[in-house]
Amino acid sequence: MIADDQIDGLPLTERLKKAQYLSRELSEHLRQAYLPKLADLRLVTKEFDPAAVTDQRVFDCTVAVLEAEEFTDSLYEKLHQYLESIRREMKDLLFTDASSESSQALRMPILDFDIDELSS
């Protein structure tokens, strides 16, 4: 696991790229590995004939699902760390005190022209 200090030290763009990469990887893992293994386990556990489905096959399918679950958890934890880091930085940037000059400058539009010149 990466420490929060190391993640917070990365530029915001790098954290956003890494979070996007991790979310894609998590999505692909769920669709291509976890859900098919879970479907296999459901299929073999619905069969009650011991000649058709052995205990070893049920065990193997269960182990495969548990391993996929562990990988899913680790991906999710990494993604969560990056998203929390992004949230903390964005919270500081977006939700500053309304009385500060920097937040007022962000809220007020910059007008470099005279409105009367536009109407004539």
Side-chain angles (χ1 to χ4, degrees):
M1 291 280 160
I2 300 174
D4 285 340
D5 295 340
Q6 290 176 332
I7 293 174
D8 289 339
L10 293 173
L12 183 59
T13 55
E14 289 300 316
R15 285 181 273 167
L16 288 168
K17 287 178 186 177
K18 184 68 172 181
Q20 182 181 22
Y21 169 78
L22 289 170
S23 66
R24 271 195 317 265
E25 187 175 359
L26 180 61
S27 174
E28 288 176 13
H29 168 70
L30 289 173
R31 280 186 278 131
Q32 296 176 4
Y34 183 75
L35 292 176
K37 290 176 184 178
L38 193 59
D40 288 345
L41 179 61
R42 287 188 65 192
L43 184 68
V44 298
T45 56
K46 287 183 178 185
E47 183 65 49
F48 293 113
D49 184 15
V53 178
T54 64
D55 288 344
Q56 184 64 45
R57 182 159 180 225
V58 173
F59 177 78
D60 292 341
C61 288
T62 304
V63 168
V65 169
L66 291 174
E67 288 172 350
E69 176 70 24
E70 288 176 9
F71 186 73
T72 302
D73 286 342
S74 69
L75 275 178
Y76 175 77
E77 185 58 37
K78 288 178 194 175
L79 176 60
H80 183 72
Q81 286 178 340
Y82 278 91
L83 292 176
E84 274 300 307
S85 174
I86 293 166
R87 186 193 62 79
R88 283 191 301 271
E89 184 163 334
M90 295 312 297
K91 182 180 175 187
D92 292 343
L93 290 173
L94 297 176
F95 301 111
T96 58
D97 184 27
S99 64
S100 71
E101 290 180 29
S102 62
S103 65
Q104 286 294 335
L106 289 174
R107 291 190 184 111
M108 293 181 57
I110 299 172
L111 301 175
D112 289 333
F113 57 89
D114 186 8
I115 196 75
D116 292 329
E117 290 177 5
L118 294 175
S119 61
S120 50

